[in-house]
Amino acid sequence: MKQATFYHAGCPVCVNAEKSVADGLDPKKFNLKSIHLGEEKKEVSTAENLGVQSVPALVIEGQVFHINHGADLEALKN
Amino acid sequence: MKQATFYHAGCPVCVNAEKSVADGLDPKKFNLKSIHLGEEKKEVSTAENLGVQSVPALVIEGQVFHINHGADLEALKN
């Protein structure tokens, strides 16, 4: 199983990406975790260290895929 | 089955997105088609009409998800 982490902030762009792309990943291949960075502030620095610059973003095995643009990570730091 | 179309141009960013995200979609949920816009020039206008602005992009049921940024669609028109 590959680890897939979907970082979001509950925004409409994020919700669309989660419903269509992240939730569309094959459950036989991926262990999918969804993290709301607006609610789990301590995860923001983890996401930043992984290379996440904006949400929504999907991190698969260390590779960051920014999907459209909902909000910059900077805006989620405060 | 939902229709998912992955538009790309063979670039490294595109290849990564295809291998990890598009090919990661659940084959039980999606009918996945991959279109190389550098080779299938006549599809560029179709992609543009769907709202694709850059590649790689994944279009699921009419919704466009730009995944990172490999090349602008404009650059593929000539």
Side-chain angles (χ1 to χ4, degrees), chain A residues 2 13 16-30 58 60 63-68, chain B residues 2 13 16-30 58 60 63-68:
Chain A
K2 292 180 182 177
V13 172
N16 277 346
E18 183 162 22
K19 280 189 186 168
S20 294
V21 183
D23 290 349
L25 291 175
D26 190 345
K28 289 185 180 172
K29 289 184 186 170
F30 297 93
L58 185 61
I60 296 178
Q63 282 195 88
V64 183
F65 299 97
H66 295 99
I67 304 174
N68 291 341
Chain B
K2 292 181 183 176
V13 173
N16 277 345
E18 182 162 23
K19 280 190 187 168
S20 294
V21 184
D23 289 349
L25 292 175
D26 189 346
K28 289 184 179 172
K29 289 184 185 169
F30 296 93
L58 186 62
I60 296 178
Q63 283 196 87
V64 183
F65 299 97
H66 295 99
I67 304 173
N68 291 342

Side-chain angles (χ1 to χ4, degrees), chain B residues 30-46:
Chain B
F30 296 93
N31 177 21
L32 179 67
K33 190 165 62 174
S34 175
I35 295 179
H36 190 315
L37 291 176
E39 295 175 352
E40 300 186 58
K41 289 287 185 187
K42 69 185 190 310
E43 299 288 341
V44 173
S45 61
T46 307

Side-chain angles (χ1 to χ4, degrees), chain A:
Chain A
M1 296 288 273
K2 292 180 182 177
Q3 181 63 45
T5 307
F6 182 74
Y7 289 102
H8 68 103
C11 56
V13 172
C14 297
V15 171
N16 277 346
E18 183 162 22
K19 280 189 186 168
S20 294
V21 183
D23 290 349
L25 291 175
D26 190 345
K28 289 185 180 172
K29 289 184 186 170
F30 297 93
N31 177 21
L32 178 67
K33 190 164 64 173
S34 176
I35 295 179
H36 189 317
L37 290 177
E39 295 174 352
E40 299 185 58
K41 289 286 186 189
K42 70 184 187 315
E43 299 288 341
V44 173
S45 60
T46 307
E48 187 171 34
N49 288 338
L50 286 168
V52 174
Q53 295 173 355
S54 61
V55 289
L58 185 61
V59 180
I60 296 178
E61 306 245 289
Q63 282 195 88
V64 183
F65 299 97
H66 295 99
I67 304 174
N68 291 341
H69 186 275
D72 286 325
L73 204 68
E74 285 296 322
L76 300 169
K77 286 185 177 176
N78 301 312

